[in-house]
Amino acid sequence: MTVLDTGDAGVAAVAPTGRTRGGGGLGRYLVIRFLLIIPTVFILVTLVFLLMRTTGDPITAAQGGRLPPEQLAERIHAAGYDRPLLVQYGDYLGGLLRGDFGTTLSDNRPVTEVLVTYGTATLELAVYALIVAFVVGIPLGMVAAYLRDRFGDALLRVFAILCYATPVFFAGLLLKLVFAIKLGVLPVSGRASTGTELNLQLLEGKTGIYLIDAIRLGDPAAVVDVLQHAVLPAVALGLLTAGIFLRLVRTNVIGTLGTEYVDAARSRGVSEYRLVRKHAYRPALIPIITVIGLQIALLLGGAVLTETTFEWKGLGFQLAQYLTARDFVAVQGIVALLAVIVAVTNFVVDVLAALIDPRVRY
């Protein structure tokens, strides 16, 4: 740095000779996080490809014992699965870069068609589950912080543990038993009743997201029917994340209540309820944003069991069907798409977290 004479006795100005430390920190951070998507997806796709090959080629795994050896060998050769593994891997990566995920072995459909057809159902369920997680987890976390170390706080902490420790399929079966079979107030399975599904399939330019399509249909009964079918799957999957949000909000609100600015507000006579609601609430939400990316991965993993339990025909349901049929081409395509979704979601969350909290820019 350079010291400049300002003309005043004893006063000097320091002129920086370079950029201050941390300049461009946000841009550099976002570029690094974006570039990390590439190796993340590459590693996941490679692992899936290699794991699928541990049992042999996909055609033998799917059709072995059902076809004569001559026909089986002919199909293996036609599909190119008798070539060296590295050649197959190179073709697979090249197909992914072109957007070609291959063709399913069990029903001879392009995997991209499967992803488009059933991906919207999983997206819809994940959004419903996140809404449940936010509505249940955040308010109850604030209540638990307000009731810290009291009986209500203990009950809420036990509730949180039960939420994220209970297997999602078991929670789904319990919800079906109580609300669908015993009480009969909600549907047992599916995304909509048969009549509603037929009307939605006939809708021109349908999105595949039943709630949006039902609203476009202009039939209030169809909207209600779609929402009723979504309640149990959304609650079963959403409670899994709600328990994590509850404990996270509670911990961070309690930590914020011990900061100096909150103590200053308390000394001015601000009530504890107002401190929790007005002063400690927003800072406690920052960690929620930073873990949403991880929760998306958890939701997508839980969607496989949730969709199978409630026969919600999304990617998770189809993944279970293709695993049963040993259709490894379809499994590879679905898992590759889920890997991309998780990686991109984590990047978006990192962007939001960096914009909200400068401390994450490193």
Side-chain angles (χ1 to χ4, degrees), residues 17 31 48 66 74-75 121 128-129 140 168 171-172 175 203 213 222-223 263 276 282 311-312 328 360:
T17 58
V31 169
V48 171
R66 303 178 185 177
E74 183 180 344
R75 289 197 180 187
Y128 291 151
L140 291 183
V168 65
L175 290 172
L203 183 67
D213 290 340
V223 174
D263 288 338
V276 171
R282 290 187 179 179
E311 296 182 25
W312 183 281
F328 293 160
V360 303

Side-chain angles (χ1 to χ4, degrees), residues 148-188:
R148 179 184 180 183
D149 296 331
R150 285 184 266 179
F151 181 70
D153 177 31
L155 285 180
L156 289 174
R157 279 186 287 171
V158 171
F159 172 73
I161 293 172
L162 289 176
C163 283
Y164 64 73
T166 303
V168 65
F169 70 90
F170 183 71
L173 291 174
L174 285 179
L175 290 172
K176 287 174 67 172
L177 179 64
V178 174
F179 294 100
I181 298 176
K182 294 292 184 181
L183 300 179
V185 295
L186 291 170
V188 176

Side-chain angles (χ1 to χ4, degrees), residues 283-346:
L285 291 184
I286 294 176
I288 292 290
I289 296 174
T290 61
V291 301
I292 284 180
L294 297 176
Q295 300 313 310
I296 292 295
L298 183 65
L299 287 176
L300 291 176
V304 177
L305 296 174
T306 305
E307 291 179 3
T308 304
T309 302
F310 291 96
E311 296 182 25
W312 183 281
K313 296 185 178 179
L315 284 180
F317 180 83
Q318 288 301 120
L319 180 61
Q321 299 297 311
Y322 287 130
L323 282 171
T324 303
R326 302 177 69 83
D327 191 337
F328 293 160
V329 175
V331 172
Q332 286 178 173
I334 294 175
V335 173
L337 176 65
L338 296 180
V340 172
I341 292 173
V342 171
V344 172
T345 302
N346 275 284

